[in-house]
Amino acid sequence: MRNILVTGAFGQIGSELIPALQQRYGAAQIIVSDIRMIPLQAHIGAEQSYEHVDCTQPQQILEVVRRRDIGTIYHLAALLSAVAEERPHLAWSINMGGLYNVLEAARQCQCRVFFPSSIGAFGPSTPRDHTPQVTVQRPTTMYGVTKAAGELLCDYYAARFGLDVRGLRLPGLISYVAPPGGGTTDYAVEIFYQALRYRHYRCFLGPATRLDMMYMPDASRAMIELMEADGGPLRHRNAYNVTAMSISPEDLAGEIRRHIPGFAIDYQVDPVRQSIADSWPRSLDDSAAREDWGWAPRFDLATMTADMLARLSETVTGPERPRPEAS
Ligand SMILES: NC(=O)c1ccc[n+]([C@@H]2O[C@H](COP(=O)([O-])OP(=O)(O)OC[C@H]3O[C@@H](n4cnc5c(N)ncnc54)[C@H](O)[C@@H]3O)[C@@H](O)[C@H]2O)c1
């Protein structure tokens, strides 16, 4: 088996996907890359598996793919929805330019590619409930534009050059390992830290804002299972709708309150992130993924919440202490 390269590996997804890949294929096969330098307390791999790769630089990708004998690329490097709205030009350059460079390197070196699309690839004219696999995609955010165009570009490389490119339309992801990177669903992670520390959370989305979510262990498994699936039955490579739960801030707060009875939530709506959320589906139809490659989530709202609180309560206790004054 040729090696696996993960771009943008130090982000929220990479921090859990890397250990899952290492466990499945062996640490020596996984090459970890990011534009960021390897963290000092690197928990996701040794120095020898790290490469500094800026995805906007085609030669850097190509050189690593050749030198490290890469056969599969999990391309995670991107700017997320809220950050992309603040910096749309940079988002186009990283999200579209980076994907193009990865696909070109893959074409030249015959690699397989995983591309994480998003519920952001849909827009306000998409049916918002039980959103079909194939439907209207007219996103109104720069993030969504790059995801919808990215899906098309992947399909083009598959049809034109025979590249094995596969993707998922991931919902908001909830994880206890790494903080989220500036997305519209970040509240669903922040709420756990604030609940454990302060018994209180001020949410930037309104109480009834319903969106699809998934616990990260399910998301890592979905990516690996899709890439391992027999290609024959795959009707939609870019990209499969997947979901695990459709929840609102008040649903999540209610579930947390079952474990932390005094927990309180109030709301200070951020108009930018609220308008992004209001343009996204409330719930996805993921029946195509279930039928074509056997997708099924293992965590629902109750089991995800219990696991998040159990894991985080080992590390997050009491209010954050103020940092000592610099001398
Ligand atoms: N987290 C979610 O809820 C979610 C949901 C749907 C889709 N996705 C998609 O999954 C992918 C990974 O998401 P994430 O949550 O881990 O994001 P993140 O923001 O946590 O991490 C992205 C990583 O990319 C790196 N990066 C940025 N610019 C780069 C460049 N030019 N070259 C190389 N690396 C660069 C960053 O340093 C960071 O480590 C993205 O494509 C995102 O759109 C994420």
Side-chain angles (χ1 to χ4, degrees), residues 11-13 34 36 53-55 76 78 80 117 143 147 171 173:
Q12 193 195 12
I13 294 183
D34 203 289
R36 284 189 267 169
V53 175
D54 175 352
C55 291
L76 305 183
L80 299 196
S117 188
Y143 181 70
K147 290 301 182 188
L173 298 178

Side-chain angles (χ1 to χ4, degrees), residues 60-240:
Q60 286 186 17
I61 303 171
L62 197 56
E63 193 274 322
V64 168
V65 165
R66 286 193 173 129
R67 180 165 46 80
R68 292 287 201 158
D69 187 26
I70 300 298
T72 302
I73 305 172
Y74 284 76
H75 176 49
L76 305 183
L79 293 194
L80 299 196
S81 56
V83 183
E85 270 328 277
E86 275 168 29
R87 311 181 74 183
H89 305 101
L90 185 64
W92 178 265
S93 161
I94 294 174
N95 295 13
M96 283 316 293
L99 175 62
Y100 175 78
N101 295 336
V102 163
L103 289 170
E104 263 305 291
R107 180 182 69 79
Q108 292 175 44
C109 301
Q110 288 305 303
C111 302
R112 306 170 70 232
V113 176
F114 173 81
F115 169 65
S117 188
S118 156
I119 52 173
F122 298 115
S125 52
T126 303
R128 294 193 67 201
D129 295 304
H130 217 53
T131 302
Q133 173 67 39
V134 179
T135 185
V136 179
Q137 284 183 264
R138 305 286 296 174
T140 49
T141 62
M142 177 51 90
Y143 181 70
V145 167
T146 63
K147 290 301 182 188
E151 290 181 13
L152 293 175
L153 191 61
C154 290
D155 278 346
Y156 179 80
Y157 268 73
R160 178 73 174 77
F161 303 115
L163 220 61
D164 187 359
V165 194
R166 305 179 183 191
L168 297 174
R169 288 191 191 119
L170 292 166
L173 298 178
I174 300 170
S175 64
Y176 57 87
V177 174
T184 303
T185 52
D186 290 6
Y187 89 83
V189 177
E190 292 170 5
I191 192 171
F192 285 99
Y193 287 85
Q194 301 293 312
L196 285 165
R197 276 199 184 113
Y198 304 110
R199 307 286 189 265
H200 173 258
Y201 179 60
R202 179 157 293 163
C203 186
F204 58 77
L205 294 182
T209 310
R210 182 165 296 282
L211 292 167
D212 286 284
M213 299 278 178
M214 188 182 290
Y215 199 28
M216 195 65 88
D218 273 339
S220 305
R221 190 171 52 78
M223 293 178 228
I224 294 171
E225 284 181 5
L226 175 65
M227 291 306 281
E228 288 188 352
D230 175 7
L234 298 184
R235 290 170 293 165
H236 313 279
R237 290 181 174 229
N238 284 284
Y240 276 97

